Amino acid sequence: MTTVAVVGGGISGLVAAYRLRQRLGPDARIVVLEESDRCGGKLRTVPLAGDPVDVGAEAFIERRPEVPELLAELGLSDQVEHPSGARPLIWAGGRLHPLPTGTLMGIPAGSESLVGLVDAQTLAQIDAEPTTPLHWDSTTDVSVAALVGARFGDQVVRRSVDPLLGGVYSGLSDTAGVRATVPTLAAALDAGAPSLTEAVRRALPPPSDAPVFGTLRDGYGTLLDALREASAAEFHDGTRAAGLRRTGGRWSIDPIGEVDGVILAVPADRAATLLADTVPAAATQARDIPLASSVVVAMALPKNAALPNNSGILVATGEDLAAKAFTLSARKWPHLGARAVTLARASFGRFGDAALVDADDEQLVTLARADLATVTGVTDQPIATFVQRWHGGLPQYRAGHLDVVAALESEIALVDGIEVAGAMLHGVGVPACVRSATTAATRLAEQVAG
């Protein structure tokens, strides 16, 4: 009987187990080792004021095929909900601004989209950028902050780019490499775009009326439960994997023993530890992927709480707030807006600034309420709250990240019977994790079945 171990029970590990079951059939033994007391990783649905609420990732990019196809396979397509169309805001310079339109991750294609958000000197710099010689090296990578700051100025970085990148990666543009975080922009520059302005114009996606994002009506927990059941795997929650080693033509991992193959679907630091003795060169690469921690404070406010009719509020770098963003869930998602309470979430923590992650719940709720009052004027006492800490929640895709991942995957490819998957590789969103897990499971199944 074929036995395969999947280390990590997050979305990547669960998808990997499910795909392995599809490919190896009902007789294979698939064992999932999850160090925490629950599966789901950075996806979690909890009850709040009597109904399910996501306190990790809440949405997926619907224009990518991975999640819609997976939901269809599992009979969950009827769970998909779409946003209301309410627009987000940015808190910068001590006041609210509309989120600029026509930008690529906050990088503008012209000054008109940033009028009111940045000063006149910055607008003039954006206008003059096409006339300034651009020196772009297609063989190297730079941080988004270095590129955008040099061409458009620091205000564009801190007020437009940082808020968007912070929402995706819990980091700043200083720790975001252009090639990994804005790949279409890098491609346009590689192809010879003569200015950053022109590169953004070429990289912007074509207009479309199709929804960009989707979510699940009853939360991501429905997907996690369906994957767990469909995988028919043997789950060991609260179990730390250790002692990964090669024994002849097979693998051994504690506490399971010998297996035919292993998929590591864990954060970079855990992957580095597990690979240290067997694929040390890959472990070295994994150690070069830093992680950021964050906190989500979910709040159920009274139904009449006067939140603005916007989907959320992003916070510019350097503002006098503890929170980095707010999701106005009741305004963003119509199905949540129909509930008997008004839902909102505050997010804290960026790479290199994780002190708040270990603050106690009362302090975090107090900060969330104070910052929400500052940006919206809403002071209502929450009916219920939930604090979720994400230690090491998101990998930082620094300049050179693609080279690190390529080297890591090259080393793994030299060794039979082991694969890696997850957010540390080719994208932090759920669709990217689904794709990564599917690729790893397909490769491993071909090896162990052969």
Side-chain angles (χ1 to χ4, degrees):
M1 178 176 66
T2 300
T3 300
V4 177
V6 178
V7 183
I11 184 64
S12 300
L14 292 175
V15 171
Y18 168 59
R19 297 299 188 202
L20 286 168
R21 178 62 66 199
Q22 289 179 306
R23 287 155 176 75
L24 298 178
D27 296 330
R29 182 187 179 210
I30 301 169
V31 183
V32 178
L33 301 176
E34 169 52 43
E35 185 172 341
S36 72
D37 60 1
R38 51 168 286 275
C39 283
K42 305 309 180 290
L43 303 182
R44 189 180 186 187
T45 306
V46 301
L48 188 70
D51 289 299
V53 172
D54 282 319
V55 291
E58 60 160 5
F60 57 88
I61 299 176
E62 193 166 14
R63 292 178 183 177
R64 286 188 57 155
E66 295 90 348
V67 175
E69 289 175 359
L70 180 63
L71 294 172
E73 289 179 40
L74 297 168
L76 296 176
S77 295
D78 63 349
Q79 277 277 326
V80 177
E81 300 282 352
H82 297 116
S84 64
R87 294 287 301 165
L89 302 167
I90 287 181
W91 179 265
R95 63 187 183 90
L96 291 171
H97 307 262
L99 182 77
T101 58
T103 74
L104 189 67
M105 197 63 79
I107 309 171
S111 65
E112 61 280 356
S113 62
L114 269 62
V115 172
L117 181 61
V118 299
D119 61 25
Q121 181 179 346
T122 300
L123 295 175
Q125 184 173 350
I126 297 170
D127 287 335
E129 190 270 338
T131 66
T132 305
L134 173 66
H135 304 288
W136 173 259
D137 186 347
S138 62
T139 66
T140 61
D141 196 9
V142 298
S143 73
V144 174
L147 174 64
V148 177
R151 305 298 296 182
F152 290 155
D154 191 62
Q155 279 197 2
V156 176
V157 173
R158 303 309 169 197
R159 295 187 174 191
S160 185
V161 182
D162 274 354
L164 285 160
L165 281 172
V168 177
Y169 296 97
S170 285
L172 297 174
S173 52
D174 306 78
T175 57
V178 173
R179 294 190 179 281
T181 59
V182 203
T184 55
L185 179 65
L189 291 166
D190 287 345
S195 66
L196 182 56
T197 301
E198 179 60 25
V200 173
R201 287 176 182 157
R202 294 182 188 182
L204 283 170
S208 172
D209 293 331
V212 177
F213 297 106
T215 192
L216 300 185
R217 182 173 58 253
D218 296 320
Y220 265 123
T222 57
L223 173 58
L224 302 176
D225 290 344
L227 285 168
R228 186 163 177 147
E229 180 179 357
S231 72
E234 183 182 312
F235 286 88
H236 295 260
D237 298 345
T239 302
R240 185 178 179 86
L244 179 65
R245 54 199 177 275
R246 192 110 156 113
T247 57
R250 304 187 79 204
W251 289 85
S252 179
I253 188 167
D254 299 331
I256 303 173
E258 286 198 359
V259 297
D260 297 290
V262 179
I263 292 178
L264 301 182
V266 291
D269 56 346
R270 286 290 295 130
T273 299
L274 289 165
L275 292 167
D277 293 333
T278 52
V279 197
T284 297
Q285 298 300 327
R287 287 192 198 98
D288 202 32
I289 303 174
L291 302 171
S293 297
S294 61
V295 178
V296 170
V297 178
M299 297 175 283
L301 302 168
K303 185 65 176 177
N304 62 356
L307 292 176
N309 190 28
N310 297 92
S311 60
I313 301 169
L314 304 175
V315 179
T317 303
E319 296 298 310
D320 190 21
L321 295 175
K324 66 178 182 182
F326 300 89
T327 304
L328 307 182
S329 309
R331 306 292 187 252
K332 182 176 182 178
W333 304 105
H335 69 291
L336 297 182
R339 292 186 180 177
V341 295
T342 295
L343 296 172
R345 305 190 334 170
S347 299
F348 301 88
R350 289 187 173 102
F351 178 68
D353 181 25
L356 281 175
V357 175
D358 295 316
D360 62 40
D361 287 7
E362 183 178 357
Q363 180 183 357
L364 287 164
V365 171
T366 298
L367 286 170
R369 291 189 61 200
D371 284 356
L372 184 66
T374 296
V375 300
T376 68
V378 171
T379 59
D380 300 73
Q381 175 79 28
I383 295 166
T385 61
F386 191 93
V387 176
Q388 176 64 58
R389 294 169 182 80
W390 296 118
H391 290 95
L394 284 172
Q396 299 301 289
Y397 284 14
R398 298 183 298 184
H401 177 78
L402 296 183
D403 294 333
V404 171
V405 170
L408 189 161
E409 292 181 325
S410 294
E411 295 296 335
I412 291 291
L414 297 174
V415 185
D416 287 339
I418 188 166
E419 295 290 340
V420 292
M424 69 175 176
L425 300 175
H426 300 288
V428 299
V430 175
C433 289
V434 171
R435 173 173 287 188
S436 170
T438 299
T439 299
T442 301
R443 289 175 178 165
L444 189 67
E446 290 174 351
Q447 294 174 44
V448 301

